[in-house]
Amino acid sequence: MPAVCAKAAGTVAWQPVAGAMHRRLEVAMEDAAAGTEKNLRGSGVAVLLGQESGQPAPCCPHGPTLLFVKISQGEEVGRRFYACSACRDRKDCNFFQWENEKVSEARLSAREEVNRSCQPSLSHRQNVERYKQFGLLPTSKRKFCQECQQLLLPREWGKHSGHQVLSDLSIAHLQRPSQLLCPLKNKKTNAQYLFADRSCQFLLDLIISLGFKRVLCVGTPRYSQFYTEEDFCHYNMFNHYFFGGEAAHEICRKFLHQEKGEGVILVTDPPFGGLVEPLAFSFKKLIATWRETQEEDHSSKELPIFWIFPYFFESRILEFFPRFSMMDYQVDYDNHALYKHGKTGRKQSPVRIFTNISPSMIVLPVEEGYRFCSVCQRYVSSGNQHCEICNSCTSKDGRRWNHCFLCKKCVKPSWIHCNTCNRCALRDHACESAKAGCFICGGAGHKRSTCPNLSVTDRAGKADRNQKLKKNKKIKMDTVKRPYLKHATFARKKIKNKKKKNALAC
């Protein structure tokens, strides 16, 4: 049974369900696809999707860049610019270009050379050929270099003689590559966190029980050594870019179109530092590809999705996928110090599953403390008590939330209502922070993304016009004032010289 999967700023892999019960459903996190540079986001940066000026976006080593615009509350908006879609730190990818900037041929050539030099030393096809040769070797000659993270053929042993090498690799080892590959640790570029066995088994059992036969895994990095071109594609989930070109895109399309699109589900675990907008944009592109197989009377059908993300991103995800709902199941990771199962209170894992599958169809393990709410018709955590006023099980973090009659909603148990801020907050919060309001207009009750006064497009367009006006004004001012400035400077020098002569005369 064929399979497929995709990687954040890296790969797409296809995975069968029935034939893969023995292997982990691994969707590793990569901060390499963290969207944009952290310090830029802090100053107020919005990504502009589908608003390019008609020209294709310039490329960095991670594929086409994204268009951004700086935003400052109460001030004019900055110029549009292109930056890397995958790295949030300019030290890892320093690409920067103004939207309408004219780039010289020499700079373009240098940029292309840098992009080529950053690509893997071996192509996916070369890796596949190596893997075939590796599989033919007897178990005693199958070795893996842990320092270079590479399968070794006998002719390469000498080059790795001083390295830490694993020997006697079995077929079972090769079928579970995450047991061989060491997770990357740079949080700003490509840190990788792997699902704990508990979460892997739950997801696999759930997918099988729901009747799915194929899984499109988005976010499985560095697997090109272990999977063929039919099972794995190098893909950037922040700009919907297939590094293998149209051939790789066609493989993904065929996988989604198998059996007229039936029996397939998309499972993704993006890096939590990434922007939701470009992720949603890419997922909608994959959904559109899947919908190509649907008949007109079934155009409203949706590609089933499991989007694994922290619960505090719920409003952002629902903004782009209103039909999604959040499950109470706590996803935990093997190599993450905080996102662990079994902890209590605020130390519980905040990672949840967002899905467009009906909550009533998803059974959560009762032995782990989940229960079925007959009113909400879904499984919830044991601490998530049904609120009669809200008519919903309102807790997001596993604790029992309290209803605030003034706010007209349930809030965290550690919050109290503040009359100054007119909202619930922590006891020791700073009331001044409540006055900030919207980042654009300063008003309360909404955020920058939903500001009714100005859209991002209007603000960006206004910024471009203001920039041109400032430039024209500067040229005009320079033309008028420069002679007077020169004269004033010369006059001051003459006065100073006169003072020096008088002083010498005295």
Side-chain angles (χ1 to χ4, degrees), residues 14 16 24-25 101 109-110 136 143 161 180 185 204 221 235 238 290 298 313 351 418 476:
W14 331 114
R24 293 160 58 101
L25 176 64
E101 182 179 355
S109 298
L136 295 174
K143 297 185 177 182
S161 58
L180 294 175
K185 297 180 180 180
L204 186 57
Y235 173 79
F238 285 89
W290 173 81
H298 293 98
F313 282 102
V351 185
C418 175
K476 186 176 180 181

Side-chain angles (χ1 to χ4, degrees), residues 312-380:
F312 37 80
F313 282 102
E314 181 181 21
S315 61
R316 298 292 291 138
I317 293 177
L318 295 181
E319 181 181 340
F320 298 98
F321 295 100
R323 296 184 182 180
F324 274 33
S325 56
M326 186 182 77
M327 302 294 99
D328 271 21
Y329 183 82
Q330 296 179 13
V331 180
D332 59 323
Y333 297 85
D334 266 340
N335 56 331
H336 198 290
L338 299 178
Y339 298 169
K340 298 286 187 181
H341 175 66
K343 294 186 176 182
T344 59
R346 296 178 64 186
K347 294 183 179 180
Q348 300 178 79
S349 172
V351 185
R352 302 289 185 269
I353 301 173
F354 294 86
T355 181
N356 52 1
I357 299 174
S358 173
S360 61
M361 299 176 61
I362 299 177
V363 180
L364 303 185
V366 177
E367 63 274 13
E368 294 184 13
Y370 299 99
R371 62 178 182 81
F372 186 77
C373 176
S374 58
V375 181
C376 296
Q377 285 294 296
R378 70 183 184 99
Y379 278 83
V380 297

